[in-house]
Amino acid sequence: ICSFVCSPKGFPKLKNDTFLRAARGEETEHTPVWCMRQAGRYLPEFRETRAAQDFFATCRSPKLCCELTLQPLRRFPLDAAIIFSDILVVPQALGMEVVMVPGKGPTFTEPLKEVEDLLKLRQKVDVTAELGYVFQAITLTRHSLEGRVPLIGFSGAPWTLMSYMIEGGGSTTMAKAKSWLYRHPEASHRLLRLLADVIIDYLVGQVAAGAQALQLFESHAGHLGPEQFEDFALPYIRDIAQAVKSKLKEEALPLVPMIIFAKDAHYALRDLARAGYEVVGLDWTIRPQEARAQVGKDVTLQGNLDPCALYAPKEKIGELVKKMLEGFGTQRYIANLGHGLYPDMNPEHVGAFVEAVHAHSRHINKH
């Protein structure tokens, strides 16, 4: 137990470990709950804190990241915090410029167009030099949480990051990035390998800084078919879990639970359940019973309420949560949304979601 509770940096003792216990498959009194994008624009205090600053400047400020991470916890009895950051800090560490364009989202000033462009990327990344600000934010936040709940660190997965780097931003088809997989398979693997190596060091660094769990976001999995996923996404997802765990052991760091969230990748659930992660995150497009049948009993599931359900009246949210808990069962399960919170959501409805998970799971456990 000590590896999860004690820490060389003298962090406060953890008071609520429900999330970590559920992740490891241990019994819990209630189902733990947190929300992807829980630190976000749906909170007026978030908009106020962010107003004066450029988005990536905020990401580089440990103090602001800490404040934004803590904001939702002041409002809601969540069972975990996730560090405020962005998946695109990794391409930045490789030397690419990304700016946040209002109304458009993240935009790369010079996306990768030709195979030769790979030479412009840093081939060796010192994550402490390039991403140390994230580590500082994690350490500061871990202290500021005062042991209230565990802190989750994260990274984007290689395919998702590659797709942004080639598309230059969001895309509905990912046609440019996918064309690389068909036209330049070897160069694609070179880029994916480079990304995986940085991600491994980055995730290990987050644990060294105080992260108590890690989530890998394969947000663009749904743009790939089963074969492309198996060739260009899954090997790196597996490799990251394995390498992170062996490095944590080597460096005598805590072996923290790892979560894989591959959006829209139902076709790969069986493979993901065997990819070396304690938790498999689900989007809202699969039935709980179906997901459980595919992943088996040895993996914890996380998800999967449709985020848009939070637009419903509060009583309806409670009913949907109850149905979700009945589908998943209250054990080996972490409640979450099937994707992140949207900016126009009512914070009170987020509160209703969190409270419904606690109330209904306690009731189900008692009876």
Side-chain angles (χ1 to χ4, degrees):
I1 290 189
C2 199
S3 64
F4 284 89
V5 181
C6 313
S7 162
K9 287 196 165 74
F11 290 125
K13 193 170 171 354
L14 187 58
K15 296 169 193 149
N16 171 4
D17 67 347
T18 317
F19 164 79
L20 292 179
R21 279 189 290 135
R24 297 196 298 263
E26 295 164 18
E27 208 173 306
T28 58
E29 300 72 57
H30 67 266
T31 298
V33 55
W34 66 282
C35 298
M36 291 187 266
R37 294 206 191 120
Q38 65 190 23
R41 287 174 294 173
Y42 72 102
L43 291 175
E45 57 269 37
F46 176 96
R47 293 196 294 271
E48 214 172 287
T49 308
R50 280 266 303 103
Q53 281 267 19
D54 162 72
F55 177 80
F56 286 108
T58 304
C59 289
R60 285 188 287 273
S61 159
K63 207 168 137 218
L64 286 176
C65 289
C66 174
E67 167 58 23
L68 294 169
T69 304
L70 296 176
Q71 283 177 353
L73 293 151
R74 294 187 190 122
R75 278 192 186 242
F76 316 117
L78 295 152
D79 293 291
I82 183 163
I83 193 67
F84 177 82
S85 185
D86 194 88
I87 63 172
L88 298 182
V89 299
V90 170
Q92 287 176 334
L94 285 164
M96 293 187 83
E97 193 189 357
V98 193
V99 292
M100 195 58 83
V101 178
K104 188 184 172 197
T107 306
F108 285 74
T109 49
E110 287 180 44
L112 305 173
K113 289 196 174 75
E114 305 300 331
V115 170
E116 298 76 61
D117 292 343
L118 294 181
L119 298 172
K120 295 180 191 166
L121 300 175
R122 276 190 194 106
Q123 302 303 308
K124 269 269 171 267
V125 174
D126 175 347
V127 291
T128 309
E130 300 301 330
L131 295 165
Y133 58 88
V134 179
F135 303 154
Q136 287 166 16
I138 287 172
T139 303
L140 178 62
T141 307
R142 179 78 190 273
H143 283 294
S144 306
L145 276 166
E146 296 175 336
R148 201 178 332 172
V149 293
L151 180 61
I152 304 167
F154 70 90
S155 174
W159 155 249
T160 294
L161 296 178
M162 169 182 171
S163 62
Y164 272 116
M165 290 158 76
I166 294 170
E167 295 290 340
S171 155
T172 49
T173 60
M174 296 292 161
K176 290 178 191 160
K178 285 179 74 177
S179 81
W180 271 55
L181 305 182
Y182 287 108
R183 286 165 45 226
H184 314 302
E186 278 157 30
S188 296
H189 279 299
R190 253 197 347 262
L191 174 53
L192 292 162
R193 182 70 261 162
L194 177 63
L195 283 161
D197 290 342
V198 177
I199 291 162
I200 289 160
D201 289 346
Y202 180 42
L203 290 174
V204 171
Q206 291 185 47
V207 176
Q212 290 152 292
L214 297 169
Q215 178 155 315
L216 189 68
F217 284 89
E218 189 67 282
S219 312
H220 296 166
H223 290 280
L224 301 176
E227 285 178 17
Q228 278 188 312
F229 188 84
E230 208 173 311
D231 282 352
F232 296 101
L234 190 62
Y236 300 99
I237 287 170
R238 279 192 189 122
D239 190 49
I240 286 166
Q242 207 183 338
V244 166
K245 286 175 181 187
S246 71
K247 285 200 173 197
L248 290 175
K249 272 186 193 150
E250 265 167 45
E251 296 178 28
L253 288 164
L255 278 177
V256 303
M258 293 180 73
I259 308 163
I260 175 66
F261 175 63
K263 191 174 176 296
D264 296 322
H266 314 148
Y267 56 77
L269 273 185
R270 285 173 201 279
D271 289 327
L272 290 167
R274 295 168 184 74
Y277 294 77
E278 285 69 24
V279 183
V280 173
L282 303 168
D283 60 65
W284 67 91
T285 59
I286 188 162
R287 287 190 173 86
Q289 297 87 336
E290 225 167 282
R292 180 56 76 195
Q294 288 196 47
V295 306
K297 293 186 180 69
D298 300 331
V299 175
T300 294
L301 287 173
Q302 174 178 282
N304 77 338
L305 192 72
D306 180 354
C308 290
L310 298 192
Y311 295 122
K314 288 191 208 170
E315 309 71 67
K316 179 71 176 163
I317 293 171
E319 287 165 34
L320 292 166
V321 164
K322 181 171 181 272
K323 196 176 163 202
M324 179 172 81
L325 286 162
E326 286 163 354
F328 282 110
T330 59
Q331 301 297 322
R332 258 213 183 277
Y333 173 54
I334 296 161
N336 205 315
L337 303 171
H339 200 248
L341 288 160
Y342 301 140
D344 62 348
M345 284 178 165
N346 181 341
E348 284 183 19
H349 288 222
V350 178
F353 167 65
V354 173
E355 278 152 31
V357 170
H358 287 160
H360 287 298
S361 63
R362 283 201 173 98
H363 181 80
I364 295 169
N365 283 347
K366 272 201 190 104
H367 300 275

